[in-house]
Structure formats: structure tokens, C-alpha cells
Amino acid sequence: MRHHNKTAKLQRKKAHRDALLRNLAASLIEHRRLTTTLAKAKALRPFAESLVTLGKKGDLHARRRALTLLGSNQLAQRSVKTLFGDIAPASAERQGGYCRIIKLGQRQSDAAPMAMIEWVDALVSSGAESADA
């Protein structure tokens, strides 16, 4: 029976799945928006929201926990700095639901359902927005 086993396996072994979620979360923190398959976006959301909860605590232990969850490379260290400096303060009043998933339709090559995952409160910077400012 699969009691308390609701993790999506994504057709990967545990180590590969953990590395995938770490990389997706770091990319989501760095770019504020990410386009991926719907299954990966649904698996990423609870992982990313737990990182924001750590960011809202803001103490040293939470920062070290976030580094443990994201890894110890330079991208993870930049991501933790961005998470604790920009994303978590923007979501300070929100009690949960920090990410939004928007379905985009099917990928043309293999008809996989695609989705965009982004932060609800964090400002997404793109070339068009910075040209207006």
C-alpha cells in the first residue's frame, strides 16, 4: 500500500529526482518563472514552497537548511541569497500558496502537457518590463 507516499516519481530514481528538484528550484528562484512539464511543475511546487517558508523564518538555521536542500554549489548559494533577500520578504503576509502553475498546452514534439510555474508575489523581470521603466 502507498500510505503517505504521494511523491511523484517522475520515472527517475530517488537521487536523480532529488537532483532534478534541486536544479528546478534553483532555476525558479533565479529566473522567477520556469517552463517545464506539468508533472515536474506539480512536483516542484511543494519543494519550492517549503523553501519560501524557510526564507520567511530568516534565521541562520533556516538559511543552512535551505542550503542543505538546494545543494552546496555556487548556484545554490546565489539562490539562497535571492530567496532570503527578495522572494521571502515579498511573500511575508501570505500564509501559503507562494507558487502558481499555469497550463500552457501540449509540447509539439511529444505532446507532453507543459506548464509555467512562477512566484505569486515576486516581481518577474523581463526585457519588455525593464524597457518601460
Side-chain angles (χ1 to χ4, degrees):
M1 288 186 255
R2 289 183 47 89
H3 296 302
H4 292 284
N5 294 329
K6 74 176 194 182
T7 302
K9 292 193 175 187
L10 302 174
Q11 298 180 355
R12 290 165 170 81
K13 303 271 185 193
K14 182 180 180 348
H16 189 187
R17 186 171 56 244
D18 290 345
L20 173 77
L21 288 177
R22 259 190 239 115
N23 289 329
L24 284 174
S27 295
L28 178 64
I29 291 169
E30 185 175 4
H31 299 292
R32 309 285 207 275
R33 177 182 290 171
L34 191 65
T35 301
T36 183
T37 62
L38 183 61
K40 288 178 190 175
K42 285 183 177 181
L44 174 62
R45 186 193 323 199
F47 186 76
E49 290 187 356
S50 67
L51 289 172
V52 175
T53 303
L54 286 174
K56 284 172 60 175
K57 289 181 184 176
D59 57 351
L60 181 62
H61 180 65
R63 193 174 289 264
R64 287 179 175 167
R65 282 287 298 146
L67 270 173
T68 301
L69 290 173
L70 285 176
S72 59
N73 55 12
Q74 290 178 346
L75 174 63
Q77 292 173 357
R78 274 197 325 259
S79 298
V80 168
K81 187 179 286 188
T82 304
L83 175 71
F84 279 73
D86 299 336
I87 295 171
S91 301
E93 309 85 41
R94 189 174 290 274
Q95 294 296 313
Y98 309 114
C99 297
R100 111 175 18 110
I101 295 177
I102 301 167
K103 295 180 183 179
L104 298 176
Q106 295 180 332
R107 186 163 49 197
Q108 191 167 4
S109 61
D110 61 352
M114 297 298 288
M116 183 174 61
I117 183 168
E118 64 183 3
W119 300 113
V120 173
D121 291 324
L123 179 66
V124 177
S125 62
S126 66
E129 289 176 339
S130 61
D132 293 339

